Amino acid sequence: MLRPSELAPGLLLGDDVDLADGIEFGGNVVVHDGVRLGGGVRLGDGCVVGKPPSLGARSTAPRELPGPAVLGEGVTVGAGAVIVAGAGIGAACVVADQAHVRERVEVGAESVVGRGASVENDVRIGARVKLQTGAYVTAWSELEDDVFVAPNVTLTNDPTAGRRGAAQELRGAVLRRGCRLGAGAVLLPGVEVGEEAFVAAGAVVTHDVPSRTLVMGVPARVVREIEP
Amino acid sequence: MLRPSELAPGLLLGDDVDLADGIEFGGNVVVHDGVRLGGGVRLGDGCVVGKPPSLGARSTAPRELPGPAVLGEGVTVGAGAVIVAGAGIGAACVVADQAHVRERVEVGAESVVGRGASVENDVRIGARVKLQTGAYVTAWSELEDDVFVAPNVTLTNDPTAGRRGAAQELRGAVLRRGCRLGAGAVLLPGVEVGEEAFVAAGAVVTHDVPSRTLVMGVPARVVREIEP
Amino acid sequence: MLRPSELAPGLLLGDDVDLADGIEFGGNVVVHDGVRLGGGVRLGDGCVVGKPPSLGARSTAPRELPGPAVLGEGVTVGAGAVIVAGAGIGAACVVADQAHVRERVEVGAESVVGRGASVENDVRIGARVKLQTGAYVTAWSELEDDVFVAPNVTLTNDPTAGRRGAAQELRGAVLRRGCRLGAGAVLLPGVEVGEEAFVAAGAVVTHDVPSRTLVMGVPARVVREIEP
């Protein structure tokens, strides 16, 4: 249950919040029940950490209650960002202003979820991954270390666009180590992008992208290999 | 006029707010003058309901003051979401975290405005419509029941891109019952998408889409019919 | 340092804030140290003005502390909007709900940063510019007077997508007077769009666009001249 706290102006703290040393609070921050914050975490104005998921009546996301949100040492959370219960944010990550990270997302150390970017439920993200402004990472995706996702990239996971039967699984993207997705690219459900591959800006990716290739266009086609 | 309320931590309530039973408030919620909230409405942390429109000096949106915002029974409003005065949100809808709904929008029951999605002024949305993360619904659009709009879809209404004369009307999209728009699709002004049609991800739709067809590409072309 | 203020409900004010006459505050507003607000400025619910930049460990944005945020007469800041320290917003501008403006951005008079739009660091924007919902203006861009940027347009500045060497500069877009970018368009790094040019919706712009031409497609090609 949220209650006003004297630790910072406008701060609301839930029950059993675990605060390490040296945490900096902006104004009007909300930290929900059970959240664990590592040393030196910085929480920006009006951010919300550990809120329970709010699923629609027809959402197919799992409904078991997630554990608390856990933020590692030195994590920075931006103004107006929202981190849902059950997210785990690695040390020294930045969840930038107005970004959004959902339940059961795991983010490795030193990664950045850019301003207004969105990471849906049940996504695994490696270390040093960079999601830029407005990038959209669909549920059930996997992003390995050192992946780069440019602004307003869109990943998808539902080939039926809302008409799945009960037996059909969502298939997120698989982004292998060090691949890069250019601005505004769109990936069809279940696409895998290989190691060190590069998807050009504005590409619409309908098939898997081989490692160390550059793909481009609508639909995206391999235009050349990328030299190591 | 907003005043602190004892009903919840950080809550600010305007005058003449009509609260039914069983409403749940997150932290730091703002509810403006005259808002009407149905039974069981849940308002997420830091959301804003019923704020007056804030039009730019050159905006052509109508300037009469809209009525209050009205939220039906069981509506869920996410953290950081903003609902403008004059919006009507049907029973059991979800306006997700960081989403935005403007004045004189009407949304039917059980619809979802996804995380960070935006519905501009004077839009009519039917029942069970799903707008996913970052979808943009331009002013003066009409979405019938069971429409599905994937992440980061963009609808448009101004063929002059800001150079309209006084006599030219904006022409939003018309999305007929059960049509689906794939991720990142862009619709030109005034386009109508027929019943049960499917616009592929990344398509740029320059002409009307016949019912029960699949269109694809830039510009979008019919590739086949969709079996019922 | 932020402290509760009696001027408005939930307001937090930093030190040495310079307030002109006739300022209107929504609820739960946060105004940081040193911010200067011109007469008649309106600050929407939950907006944040003048927050310090929060750079990731690997960000290459300049790290010197910017000066205060300065908002000219009659500026409107929307609900949930974030304006970073060192931004200068000209008279009668609108920074709409949930929008974001970063450090060392200069915006001319009567411009609009639309709902959820994002302007990165070190951008110069002229007068009467309109950035619509979700538009993304990358760092180090220049937008001259009367530019129009439609919803969900994406500008870019890094041809290496995150692999720059220390000697490589970011190259933002240059948008000349009165040019227009259609919805969902993507511009490659360093592209210049000429005066009164028009980039069609969904175009991917890989080369400079001549003045008074219409470009279209992926990649964008000139389709005709635009009559004056």
Side-chain angles (χ1 to χ4, degrees), chain B:
Chain B
M1 183 183 163
L2 296 173
R3 294 182 182 83
S5 161
E6 298 297 316
L7 289 178
L11 176 64
L12 302 178
L13 276 187
D15 299 326
D16 301 317
V17 173
D18 185 351
L19 303 172
D21 291 336
I23 293 173
E24 297 178 27
F25 295 97
N28 296 334
V29 167
V30 179
V31 180
H32 282 268
D33 295 354
V35 168
R36 291 157 51 190
L37 301 177
V41 163
R42 298 185 296 172
L43 301 180
D45 305 308
C47 74
V48 174
V49 180
K51 64 157 259 180
S54 47
L55 303 178
R58 291 156 180 275
S59 171
T60 61
R63 289 179 179 276
E64 66 266 25
L65 216 59
V70 179
L71 278 57
E73 288 195 6
V75 167
T76 297
V77 180
V82 175
I83 298 175
V84 177
I89 311 294
C93 282
V94 175
V95 177
D97 295 350
Q98 301 165 326
H100 196 267
V101 179
R102 279 186 62 179
E103 62 272 22
R104 292 178 303 278
V105 168
E106 291 294 328
V107 185
E110 295 182 49
S111 289
V112 176
V113 180
R115 178 267 158 195
S118 167
V119 183
E120 294 275 28
N121 54 289
D122 298 283
V123 168
R124 284 185 295 165
I125 294 178
R128 298 172 305 277
V129 168
K130 190 159 190 184
L131 309 176
Q132 293 202 313
T133 295
Y136 175 71
V137 177
T138 193
W140 307 99
S141 293
E142 178 179 357
L143 285 67
E144 295 185 350
D145 295 346
D146 300 302
V147 163
F148 181 95
V149 180
N152 290 346
V153 165
T154 308
L155 309 185
T156 67
N157 62 13
D158 180 4
T160 73
R163 301 281 177 89
R164 281 180 307 131
Q168 282 176 286
E169 291 192 346
L170 295 169
R171 298 173 58 226
V174 178
L175 307 182
R176 297 294 181 199
R177 190 189 55 72
C179 73
R180 294 173 276 176
L181 309 185
V186 176
L187 270 61
L188 275 283
V191 161
E192 176 170 331
V193 179
E195 288 196 5
E196 297 285 332
F198 196 141
V199 173
V204 176
V205 182
T206 58
H207 293 87
D208 290 350
V209 176
S211 299
R212 274 165 281 274
T213 61
L214 169 66
V215 302
M216 195 177 282
V218 184
R221 301 194 193 284
V222 175
V223 293
R224 62 174 172 83
E225 300 204 339
I226 294 175
E227 317 229 331

Side-chain angles (χ1 to χ4, degrees), chain C residues 26-173:
Chain C
N28 296 335
V29 167
V30 179
V31 180
H32 282 268
D33 293 355
V35 168
R36 292 157 51 191
L37 301 177
V41 163
R42 297 185 295 171
L43 301 181
D45 306 308
C47 75
V48 173
V49 180
K51 64 156 259 181
S54 47
L55 303 177
R58 290 155 181 276
S59 171
T60 61
R63 289 180 179 273
E64 66 266 25
L65 217 59
V70 179
L71 278 57
E73 289 194 7
V75 167
T76 297
V77 180
V82 175
I83 297 176
V84 176
I89 312 293
C93 283
V94 175
V95 177
D97 296 350
Q98 301 165 326
H100 196 264
V101 179
R102 280 186 61 178
E103 61 272 23
R104 293 179 303 279
V105 169
E106 291 294 328
V107 185
E110 295 183 48
S111 289
V112 176
V113 180
R115 179 266 158 196
S118 167
V119 183
E120 294 275 27
N121 55 289
D122 298 282
V123 168
R124 284 186 296 167
I125 294 178
R128 299 173 305 279
V129 168
K130 190 159 191 185
L131 309 177
Q132 293 202 312
T133 296
Y136 174 73
V137 177
T138 192
W140 306 100
S141 293
E142 178 180 358
L143 285 67
E144 295 184 352
D145 296 345
D146 300 303
V147 163
F148 181 94
V149 180
N152 290 346
V153 165
T154 307
L155 310 184
T156 67
N157 63 11
D158 181 3
T160 72
R163 300 282 177 89
R164 283 179 307 132
Q168 281 175 287
E169 290 192 346
L170 295 170
R171 299 174 58 225

